[in-house]
């Protein structure tokens, strides 16, 4: 069967309409050869009788209808996976970018993966100590979770993600409180997918990983700002295919960082617009939710397998707007979100985690006796409550003046300041154990009237509240 | 069977030719792997098919085979405790076949063909039976007696029938119909999901679905057979609220549809429900639950079908005379599935790209809820077990209900969008979740000012009879206090609390107590997740007593600070955690309020 054609009719943006084809299938991988000899990959988005709609991952610049060769490869888009990927850097389509040799694949797998059967999932419940108080104390991450960072331009999301990647450790579980908290050694790996970010940002991650020698346990897929935009649609799937191999076949605990999902979504929008699809909000396609879900839902744990995939997608909110479709739909899929706040950042607080709207939905599964400490949940609830009230008191003070506050409100307002200054704020290279984080939380509790500690069980207050006189 | 061939593939939509004898909504098998699909449009010689599985690798020329039957579900023993995808493939069976990841072209019947069930006949040879009549029972588990019914559209005389052990495919007997044909009587029925199951007549709802969630039961009650929606932005608490209702409500059967949501949430139910004990029966909750799990990353056409699969199962249990509650999480994802398919069909889009028939489809779905007099005669003796909550129904008309709770996930939390708006036209209860409440960790984050229940009048006789005559007035009084609080809060925000009169300050304090000591309910605390109506009433009574006595104490000269810091406040705060059988706690708190406020207040006043 003839598999090579020069019958392109239309070229629109990244799309090509190829006529008089036969035997073409939906999703099929395509190789394009442009008049100047340049080659590019693509895939079939739609096939109608003898007409195929092809999206070109490296764009269509330099192509023309009559001289462009279109070869249908008879298979879908795959990634050759192997343990040897560790320590290597690939481009957004999974080809070596570091000058190293081609990978000898253990096998070729479709980058689209298959959905995990819900009955085969194991519920994520191992606490990951990130060493960051605003996460560990209040919005803890657990192994197998997907917890995005909602950021905005100019905020230090890269620093925070790198800090998490550097410090993340799983703690031993035990019924003996003395033994809880020891770091577990295990095989872990970092898979990093860059979509549309600058060389500088990518380089920052690489040098962070290099500095801690974590680079040998990392796989990087880079599609940078000046790389073809449509290629980005494949990049996170490349990364997750590698991650699934490492997690479920090599028993590794894999942390996947996907950045920046905003550029990924924009690439999707570009293709959708070229297809003249009916747009949803802000021009993004109506299937954006489903498309993102096929990425984020690839996080998790599977019963009977040792490895796991934890995802930290990063996205920058256009105009700092949480209701923009990208953060909005992400929030509807992920298991919580860590939101960074420009105000805290302006006031020099790192990491500028907006604690109140941030949320880790799996936290109740990951903390408590045997995992972290018995008082963790209550303390974290109380810190939330007190901080929320402190913020309200501060707003009131802005309107009515400090003097108009009741004694209690004054205490809460002082608490909020201390909470931001001591608990949320920490250095980029400061790693706090969860013990230290909790101790710090209790120290702040002493700023509040004891009768206000309503969300904490009495015995915990007895046991953990430091003596103020002492 | 008729065979056609593919001419076009666009994502989940395939167009085929050569299926002239097929009908709308017939099930077809697509491609060499026989992927499941459904005909959703016919134009000339071509039909459009939505495919329930990933279509990568399909192309023009591939075969399509018609099955000649519409998408149907299998209904019978074995449903309870099962977990299915959107087109009733049992997920545990698929896991056994293909491992942890879902593969294409693999299928397994909805009901196990191997499982054997002990059947007890309740009719005898020669009996005349109509559609819906119970011919025997299978004690599926300790909780649910599975009543085996004559399928809709069948009636006649029992030709033969025998108690014994059967699989779902082995006839337990036969019915000789009027036209002289012999119908197999099976433990299993099949029913096309897009067709509502018939019933004798709809009835007015008159009994609340008690959920154990205080803000719902007291302020915005839902009825058995009623419909409600929970809209809210992400993370506001839709799923947790629905899980709470699935866990603690007094329905006999629960159908939970995870429609385009998270895989881990399904796993959570699967791991947690077998461990949790149904407060009414003492049995594991999973035994009264059917799970339909078509998660966000599973094929979108099957997501579209999942709500129909779920509601057909709900109707089937309703027809047996049970009260069923169906949860759909999230109806927005269902609507989006419709939108995606509609887009591929190149239909003219309506609001925000949704098809113009969105409203009709939503209304038709919610209309399948309701309290009904079912087909078939009253439940015969012996088909109702002693512990069954519907025991009193034996011998009377058979009545069943389906209540529907649908979550809605509006983009950006914007309630003006089409799914919310179309849903509001049909539902009677609106639980509006607010993210501002969720940020304050006020859970359930149901906004008391905008939520409503249109069942307040219908539930009243039940409340009077079963809770007490004072419950409704207390509830209304609390609502008034909360309304007033929202007005006063505005003033306090501008000029400070001290500008309010002492009476107003007391009201603000009471409102806070209603919010914190009554409405806030932690789903993850064993001693908080369920509260009976009786206890809800006692809590309200306690809070209002404090309010009344605080006003009295103030009138007699007690300073506000003294009133607000009375030691009994501590007990009021913890009252919601008290055990259900420890109602005497409330008497003690009541007398504490009397002595500490009025007695103490007087003393202080005198001392001045
Ligand atoms: N009644 C409750 N008690 C305690 N915590 C709650 C309660 N309701 C919600 N939460 C908290 O809020 C989080 C989010 O709730 P939930 O998952 O139900 O949100 P959702 O509205 O379904 O969001 P999405 O639309 O993204 O699915 C929970 O993980 C939990 O931490
Ligand atoms: Mg939810």
């Amino acid at each position: 069967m003839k598999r090579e054609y020069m019958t392109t009719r239309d070229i629109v943006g990244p799309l090509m309409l190829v006529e008089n084809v036969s035997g073409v299938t939906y999703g099929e991988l395509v190789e394009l050869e442009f008049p100047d000899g340049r080659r590019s990959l693509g895939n079939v988005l739609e096939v109608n009788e003898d007409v195929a709609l092809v999206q070109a991952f490296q764009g269509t610049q330099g192509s023309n209808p009559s001289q462009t060769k279109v070869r249908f490869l008879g298979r879908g888009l795959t990634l050759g996976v192997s343990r040897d990927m560790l320590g290597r850097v690939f481009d957004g389509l999974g080809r070596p970018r570091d000058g190293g040799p081609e990978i000898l694949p253990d096998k070729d797998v479709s980058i689209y993966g298959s959905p995990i059967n819900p009955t085969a999932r194991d519920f994520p419940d191992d606490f990951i100590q990130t060493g960051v108080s605003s996460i560990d104390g209040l919005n803890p991450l657990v192994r197998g979770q997907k917890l995005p960072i909602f950021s905005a331009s100019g905020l230090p999301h890269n620093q925070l993600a790198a800090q998490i990647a550097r410090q993340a450790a799983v703690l031993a579980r035990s019924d003996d409180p003395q033994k809880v908290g020891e770091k577990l050694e295990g095989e872990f790996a970092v898979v990093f997918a860059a979509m549309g970010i600058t060389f500088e940002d990518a380089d920052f991650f690489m040098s962070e990983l290099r500095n801690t020698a974590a680079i040998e346990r990392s796989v990087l897929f880079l599609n940078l700002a000046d790389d073809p935009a449509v290629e980005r649609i494949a990049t996170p799937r490349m990364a997750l295919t590698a991650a699934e191999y490492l997690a479920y076949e090599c028993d590794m605990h894999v942390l996947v960082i996907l950045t920046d999902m905003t550029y990924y979504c924009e690439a999707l929008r570009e293709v959708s617009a070229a297809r003249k699809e009916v747009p949803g909000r802000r021009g993004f396609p109506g299937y954006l939710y489903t498309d993102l879900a096929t990425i984020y839902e690839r996080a998790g744990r599977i019963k009977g397998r040792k490895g796991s995939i934890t995802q930290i997608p990063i996205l920058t909110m256009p105009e700092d707007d949480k209701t923009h479709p990208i953060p909005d739909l992400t929030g509807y899929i992920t298991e919580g979100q860590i939101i960074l706040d420009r105000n805290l950042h302006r006031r020099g607080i790192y990491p500028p985690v907006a604690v109140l709207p941030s949320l880790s939905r799996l936290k109740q599964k990951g903390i408590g006796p045997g995992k972290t400490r018995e008082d963790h949940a209550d303390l974290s609830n109380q810190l939330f409550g007190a901080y929320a009230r402190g913020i309200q008191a501060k707003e009131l003070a802005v309107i009515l003046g400090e003097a108009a506050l009741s004694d209690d409100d004054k205490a809460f307002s002082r608490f909020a300041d201390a909470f931001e200054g001591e608990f949320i704020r920490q250095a980029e290279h400061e790693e706090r154990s969860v013990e230290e984080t909790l101790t710090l939380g209790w120290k702040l509790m002493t700023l509040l009237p004891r009768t206000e500690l309503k969300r904490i069980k009495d015995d915990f207050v007895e046991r953990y509240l430091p003596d103020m006189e002492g | 069977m008729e065979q056609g061939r593919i001419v076009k593939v666009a994502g989940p939509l395939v167009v085929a030719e050569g299926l002239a004898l097929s009908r709308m909504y017939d099930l077809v098998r697509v491609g060499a792997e026989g992927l499941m699909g459904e005909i959703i449009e016919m134009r000339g010689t071509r039909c459009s098919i939505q495919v329930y599985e990933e279509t990568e690798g399909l192309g023009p020329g591939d075969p399509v085979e018609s099955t000649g039957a519409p998408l149907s579900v299998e209904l019978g023993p074995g449903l309870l405790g099962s977990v299915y995808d959107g087109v009733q493939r049992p997920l545990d069976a698929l896991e056994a076949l293909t491992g942890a990841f879902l593969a294409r072209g693999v299928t397994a019947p909805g009901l196990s063909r191997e499982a054997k069930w002990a059947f007890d006949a309740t009719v005898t040879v020669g009996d005349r039976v109509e559609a819906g009549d119970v011919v025997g029972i299978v004690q599926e588990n300790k909780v649910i007696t599975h009543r085996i019914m004559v399928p809709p559209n069948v009636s006649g005389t029992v030709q033969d029938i025998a108690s014994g052990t059967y699989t779902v495919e082995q006839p337990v007997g036969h019915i000789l119909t009027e036209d002289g044909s012999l119908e197999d009587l099976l433990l299993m029925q099949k029913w096309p999901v897009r067709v509502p199951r018939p019933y004798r007549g709809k009835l007015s709802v008159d009994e609340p679905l008690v959920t154990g969630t205080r803000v719902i039961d007291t302020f915005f009650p839902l009825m058995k057979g009623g419909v409600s929606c929970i809209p809210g932005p992400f993370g506001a608490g839709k799923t947790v609220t629905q899980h709470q209702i699935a866990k603690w409500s007094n329905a006999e059967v629960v159908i939970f549809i995870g429609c385009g949501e998270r895989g881990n949430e399904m796993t959570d139910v699967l791991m947690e429900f077998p461990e949790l004990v149904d407060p009414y029966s003492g049995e594991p909750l999973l035994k009264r639950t059917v799970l339909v799990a078509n998660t966000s990353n599973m094929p979108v056409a099957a997501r579209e079908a999942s709500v129909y699969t779920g509601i057909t199962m709900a109707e089937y249990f309703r027809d047996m005379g049970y009260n069923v509650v169906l949860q759909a999480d999230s109806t927005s994802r269902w609507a989006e599935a419709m939108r995606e398919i509609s887009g591929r069909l190149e239909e003219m889009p309506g609001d925000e790209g949704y098809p113009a028939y969105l409203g009709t489809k939503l209304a038709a779905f919610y209309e399948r809820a309701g309290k009904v007099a079912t087909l078939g005669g009253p439940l015969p003796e012996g088909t109702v077990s002693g512990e069954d909550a519907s025991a009193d129904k034996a011998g009377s008309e058979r009545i069943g209900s389906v209540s529907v709770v649908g979550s809605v996930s509006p983009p950006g939390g914007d309630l003006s969008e089409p799914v919310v708006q179309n849903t509001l036209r049909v539902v009677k209860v609106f639980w509006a979740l607010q993210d501002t409440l969720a940020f304050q960790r006020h859970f359930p984050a149901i906004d008391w000012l905008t939520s409503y229940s249109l069942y307040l009048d219908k539930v009243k006789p039940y409340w009077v009879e079963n809770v007490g005559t004072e419950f409704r007035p207390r509830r209304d009084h609390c609502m008034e206090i909360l309304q007033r609080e929202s007005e006063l809060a505005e003033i306090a925000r501008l000029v400070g609390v001290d500008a309010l009169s002492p009476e107003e300050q007391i009201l603000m304090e009471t409102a806070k107590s209603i919010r914190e000591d009554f409405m806030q309910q932690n789903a993850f605390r064993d001693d908080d997740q369920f509260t009976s109506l009786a206890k809800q009433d006692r809590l309200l009574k306690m809070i209002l007593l404090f309010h009344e006595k605080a006003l009295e104490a103030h009138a007699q000269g007690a300073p506000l600070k003294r009133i607000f810091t009375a030691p009994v406040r501590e007990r009021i705060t913890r009252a919601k955690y008290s055990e259900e059988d420890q109602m005497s706690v409330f008497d003690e708190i009541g007398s504490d309020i009397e002595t500490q406020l009025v007695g103490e207040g007087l003393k202080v006043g005198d001392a001045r």
Side-chain angles (χ1 to χ4, degrees):
Chain A
M1 202 193 303
K2 186 171 172 238
R3 303 294 287 157
E4 187 176 299
Y5 301 90
M6 288 179 71
T7 50
T8 302
R9 192 181 83 196
D10 301 335
I11 303 175
V12 179
L15 302 182
M16 308 178 71
L17 205 64
V18 191
E19 294 180 317
N20 298 322
V21 299
S22 69
V24 170
T25 61
Y26 173 69
E28 187 168 349
L29 189 63
V30 180
E31 194 179 46
L32 304 166
E33 196 179 320
F34 297 153
D36 60 3
R38 207 163 55 88
R39 289 180 182 203
S40 165
L41 287 176
N43 68 350
V44 176
L45 290 184
E46 190 175 309
V47 46
N48 191 356
E49 304 203 63
D50 61 351
V51 181
L53 180 69
V54 173
Q55 84 178 338
F57 286 125
Q58 276 98 356
T60 48
Q61 198 182 356
S63 67
N64 69 0
S66 60
Q67 290 171 293
T68 302
K69 285 188 194 142
V70 183
R71 256 189 302 279
F72 293 89
L73 301 183
R75 59 182 173 93
L77 192 50
T78 56
L79 178 72
V81 289
S82 145
R83 247 191 123 93
D84 299 335
M85 290 183 298
L86 289 167
R88 297 290 306 274
V89 184
F90 302 91
D91 74 1
L93 282 178
R95 296 166 300 199
R97 190 183 168 123
D98 52 6
E102 291 282 338
I103 296 288
L104 277 182
D106 183 19
K107 57 179 176 179
D108 269 325
V109 259
S110 163
I111 66 159
Y112 296 100
S114 299
I116 303 178
N117 186 328
T119 59
R121 281 186 185 267
D122 205 356
F123 204 85
D125 60 357
D126 290 322
F127 174 77
I128 297 181
Q129 177 176 293
T130 65
V132 178
S133 293
S134 47
I135 297 176
D136 294 351
L138 300 167
N139 296 301
L141 175 68
V142 300
R143 211 181 236 173
Q145 187 173 13
K146 38 192 181 293
L147 188 64
I149 299 179
F150 286 11
S151 187
S153 49
L155 298 184
H157 43 265
N158 289 334
Q159 284 80 340
L160 181 59
Q163 185 170 12
I164 295 172
R166 253 187 344 255
Q167 300 179 350
V170 171
L171 304 186
R173 279 195 195 189
S174 170
D175 294 332
D176 174 2
Q178 297 306 318
K179 295 219 177 82
V180 179
E182 282 166 29
K183 282 193 191 175
L184 275 188
E185 296 299 324
E187 272 221 284
F188 74 95
V190 175
V191 172
F192 178 80
M195 292 150 284
I197 63 171
T198 59
F199 170 77
E200 208 174 317
D201 285 344
D203 192 51
F204 167 80
F205 270 104
M206 290 204 276
S207 53
E208 286 288 317
L209 292 171
R210 222 174 275 125
N211 289 345
T212 51
I215 196 90
E216 287 111 68
R217 284 179 283 105
S218 306
V219 189
L220 289 85
F221 293 86
L222 304 184
N223 167 287
L224 300 183
D226 56 354
D227 289 328
V230 177
E231 183 183 291
R232 271 165 221 167
I233 295 175
T235 308
R237 300 189 163 87
M238 292 280 165
L240 286 161
T241 303
E244 279 169 0
Y245 176 79
L246 294 173
Y248 304 132
E249 296 185 34
C250 307
D251 294 341
M252 304 180 91
H253 294 293
V254 186
L255 179 69
V256 180
I257 297 178
L258 306 170
T259 180
D260 179 331
M261 290 306 292
T262 301
Y263 297 122
Y264 167 83
C265 295
E266 284 170 359
L268 214 58
R269 175 169 66 178
E270 191 179 325
V271 173
S272 171
R275 289 182 78 176
K276 303 210 164 47
E277 291 174 328
V278 180
R281 297 211 157 188
R282 306 244 187 161
F284 288 95
Y287 49 79
L288 184 59
Y289 172 85
T290 303
D291 186 275
L292 287 172
T294 59
I295 295 176
Y296 299 143
E297 278 288 324
R298 287 171 85 171
R301 301 202 311 172
I302 291 178
K303 278 182 210 151
R305 309 220 185 161
K306 287 207 194 103
S308 64
I309 296 180
T310 308
Q311 270 189 35
I312 303 193
I314 300 175
L315 58 90
T316 45
M317 298 181 279
E319 294 145 44
D320 294 14
D321 177 9
K322 195 171 68 125
T323 67
H324 184 283
I326 298 170
D328 190 52
L329 295 178
T330 297
Y332 272 124
I333 303 164
T334 52
E335 286 141 349
Q337 66 281 338
I338 301 292
I339 301 189
L340 302 189
D341 179 66
R342 198 173 291 283
N343 264 320
L344 287 174
H345 179 63
R346 279 205 196 103
R347 284 166 31 219
I349 294 175
Y350 172 89
V353 175
V355 165
L356 298 179
S358 296
L359 170 72
S360 164
R361 302 191 194 203
L362 303 184
K363 75 165 177 209
Q364 53 274 354
K365 309 276 177 180
I367 61 176
K371 295 179 177 171
T372 56
R373 218 169 69 183
E374 53 181 1
D375 55 320
H376 195 157
D378 280 10
L379 177 65
S380 124
N381 277 336
Q382 188 68 62
L383 287 167
F384 267 119
Y387 182 53
R389 184 145 170 217
I391 296 281
Q392 273 174 4
K394 282 163 70 94
E395 281 166 7
L396 210 61
V398 171
I399 303 171
L400 303 170
E402 192 81 35
L405 294 187
S406 68
D407 289 348
D408 278 359
D409 278 345
K410 278 184 196 139
F412 278 103
S413 160
R414 269 196 308 277
F415 168 85
D417 286 332
F419 181 75
E420 288 174 359
E422 297 174 39
F423 192 89
I424 299 185
R425 185 205 300 272
Q426 75 185 77
E428 225 182 293
H429 284 267
E430 177 183 359
E431 181 176 343
R432 294 184 191 150
S433 72
V434 64
E435 284 283 338
E436 286 168 328
T437 291
L438 296 176
T439 307
L440 190 56
W442 279 105
K443 191 185 129 204
L444 296 174
M445 286 288 122
T446 60
L447 296 171
L448 300 176
R450 184 165 164 168
T451 48
E452 287 292 339
L453 307 187
K454 285 186 202 159
R455 302 194 193 189
I456 311 183
K457 288 205 187 80
D458 281 340
D459 6 329
F460 295 158
V461 179
E462 295 295 331
R463 205 164 312 153
Y464 296 103
L465 189 69
D467 221 347
M468 270 202 285
E469 277 71 46
Chain B
M1 277 293 153
E2 201 179 15
Q3 206 177 66
R5 55 168 212 100
I6 294 182
V7 293
K8 174 180 173 181
V9 187
L13 187 83
V14 164
V15 178
E17 250 176 10
L19 295 170
L21 301 179
S22 297
R23 290 157 303 182
M24 278 292 276
Y25 300 115
D26 271 1
L27 202 64
V28 295
R29 297 278 172 187
V30 181
E33 290 166 291
L35 308 184
M36 273 171 96
E38 186 184 13
I39 299 178
I40 53 169
E41 189 176 86
M42 303 184 94
R43 283 174 192 265
T45 57
R46 297 190 162 191
C47 43
S48 298
I49 297 162
Q50 63 172 353
V51 184
Y52 299 131
E53 302 179 62
E54 176 54 50
T55 53
E56 199 190 324
L58 292 180
D62 285 348
V64 180
E65 195 174 325
S66 129
T67 65
L71 175 66
S72 302
V73 285
E74 297 184 349
L75 303 164
L79 277 177
L80 294 167
S82 290
V83 47
Y84 296 111
D85 77 351
V87 288
Q88 209 203 9
R89 281 181 297 197
L91 289 173
D92 46 358
L94 296 190
E95 188 187 351
L97 286 171
T98 66
F101 292 89
L102 290 165
R104 303 197 312 179
V106 188
T107 192
L111 296 178
S112 159
R113 296 297 187 260
E114 282 84 50
K116 295 204 165 203
W117 303 96
F119 170 76
D120 272 322
T122 54
V123 291
T124 45
V125 176
D127 281 357
R128 158 124 205 124
V129 290
E130 305 289 335
D133 276 346
V134 174
V135 296
I137 58 163
V138 168
Q139 195 63 47
E140 190 165 353
N141 55 48
K142 274 199 207 135
V143 197
I144 300 290
T145 307
H146 205 111
R147 298 170 186 138
I148 306 301
M149 297 172 289
V150 179
N153 318 327
V154 176
S155 61
T157 41
V158 177
Q159 178 84 5
D160 62 296
I161 191 157
S163 300
T165 310
Y166 299 91
T167 69
V168 292
E169 283 180 315
Q170 295 167 330
V172 301
H174 295 88
I175 292 177
L176 184 64
T177 64
E178 278 77 30
D179 59 17
S181 66
L182 215 49
E183 289 273 342
D184 284 349
L185 256 183
L186 301 176
L187 296 184
M188 166 178 76
Q189 309 185 359
K190 284 192 184 168
W191 192 260
V193 298
R194 296 187 195 273
V195 181
R197 284 175 63 88
Y199 48 83
R200 201 183 299 279
K202 277 219 168 160
L203 305 172
S204 170
V205 297
D206 56 4
E207 221 184 291
L209 183 82
V210 179
T211 66
T213 297
R214 295 184 289 268
V215 59
I216 291 180
D217 290 346
T218 296
F219 289 100
F220 311 109
L222 173 62
M223 307 296 278
K224 288 182 176 159
V227 284
S228 75
C229 74
I230 321 182
F234 64 80
K238 298 179 289 296
T239 304
V240 172
T241 306
Q242 287 189 305
H243 281 188
Q244 290 307 100
I245 298 174
K247 285 175 189 167
W248 309 119
S249 75
N250 61 353
E252 286 121 21
V253 176
V254 175
I255 314 283
F256 198 102
I257 311 172
C259 176
E261 291 288 314
R262 301 171 183 82
N264 276 333
E265 289 173 350
M266 297 296 116
T267 312
D268 195 19
V269 173
L270 285 174
M271 294 176 100
E272 196 182 12
F273 277 34
E275 314 269 298
L276 288 174
V277 172
D278 176 359
Y280 302 95
S281 70
E283 287 292 301
L285 276 176
L286 200 63
K287 293 198 174 170
R288 64 165 197 178
T289 309
V290 187
L291 211 60
V292 178
N294 209 95
T295 57
S296 55
N297 55 338
M298 285 159 72
V300 54
R303 188 200 297 171
E304 192 275 334
S306 66
V307 300
Y308 296 105
T309 295
I311 196 129
T312 307
M313 292 174 181
E315 288 172 338
Y316 172 67
F317 285 104
R318 170 204 71 189
D319 292 345
M320 287 183 215
Y322 289 114
N323 293 301
V324 185
V325 61
L326 174 133
Q327 317 262 357
D329 185 16
S330 156
T331 60
S332 293
R333 306 306 165 212
W334 169 47
E336 285 169 11
M338 278 191 259
R339 174 169 70 185
E340 178 160 356
I341 306 289
S342 161
R344 307 267 184 202
L345 285 173
E346 292 170 14
E347 290 174 339
M348 187 68 134
D351 280 355
E352 301 208 9
Y354 286 105
Y357 47 79
L358 173 70
T360 327
K361 293 266 183 171
L362 279 167
F365 167 69
Y366 281 104
E367 198 52 27
R368 288 175 77 169
K371 174 171 172 170
V372 305
T374 66
L375 291 187
L379 294 175
E381 293 295 324
T383 62
V384 184
S385 63
E387 290 174 31
D388 190 331
S390 58
D392 56 338
K393 287 188 206 142
S396 65
E397 188 180 31
R398 196 189 321 159
I399 292 173
S401 71
V402 174
S403 319
V404 171
V405 179
S407 72
V408 191
S409 318
D414 168 12
L415 297 185
S416 69
E417 61 89 47
V419 184
V420 175
Q421 286 305 314
N422 280 298
T423 303
L424 285 183
R425 290 202 257 159
V426 286
V427 301
K428 298 280 189 291
V429 181
F430 176 60
W431 296 317
L433 299 181
Q434 279 293 349
D435 52 358
T436 45
L437 291 173
F439 295 164
Q440 295 160 25
R441 304 307 192 254
H442 172 108
F443 289 120
I446 296 179
D447 179 359
W448 51 93
L449 295 175
T450 52
S451 299
Y452 59 79
S453 164
L454 300 182
Y455 293 126
L456 282 174
D457 291 333
K458 294 216 160 142
V459 76
K460 204 170 160 191
Y462 178 95
W463 278 357
V464 168
E465 197 173 317
N466 296 279
V467 192
T469 48
E470 287 307 299
F471 186 53
R472 174 67 191 271
R474 281 180 190 133
R475 174 218 175 261
D476 291 350
H477 189 185
C478 287
M479 246 351 243
E480 252 171 64
I481 292 177
L482 291 167
Q483 291 279 358
R484 189 88 184 97
E485 179 200 30
S486 73
E487 297 156 22
L488 293 175
E490 192 57 23
I491 302 175
R493 209 176 55 81
L494 294 172
V495 289
V497 186
D498 294 339
L500 300 180
S501 74
E503 288 79 10
E504 288 170 338
Q505 290 185 42
I506 290 173
L507 182 137
M508 296 286 280
E509 200 63 22
T510 305
K512 184 167 162 232
S513 175
I514 297 171
R515 287 188 279 109
E516 293 181 358
D517 307 332
F518 186 84
M519 288 182 159
Q520 284 184 13
Q521 189 166 2
N522 189 335
F524 305 109
R525 263 184 85 145
D526 292 343
D527 53 2
D528 200 19
Q529 43 196 4
F530 174 85
T531 307
S532 66
L533 284 180
K535 191 173 144 191
Q536 297 185 26
D537 185 38
R538 294 303 303 260
L539 283 163
L540 288 187
K541 183 176 169 196
M542 167 192 80
I543 292 169
L544 290 172
L545 180 70
F546 183 89
H547 182 66
E548 183 192 324
K549 294 298 161 191
L551 288 170
E552 257 177 53
H554 165 70
Q556 290 164 357
L560 289 187
K561 183 147 192 185
R562 190 72 191 242
I563 296 174
F564 295 160
T565 53
V568 71
R569 290 298 297 270
E570 172 73 19
R571 296 198 70 182
I572 293 178
T573 307
R574 302 204 179 262
K576 62 182 176 188
Y577 307 126
S578 62
E579 307 257 346
E580 284 288 337
D581 54 9
Q582 298 272 300
M583 293 292 188
S584 58
V585 167
F586 291 95
D587 298 329
E588 295 167 21
I589 296 178
S591 58
D592 278 4
I593 293 176
E594 301 266 357
T595 51
Q596 289 178 19
L597 289 197
V598 182
E600 188 89 339
L602 268 176
K603 242 184 278 156
V604 177
D606 288 346
R608 223 179 12 188

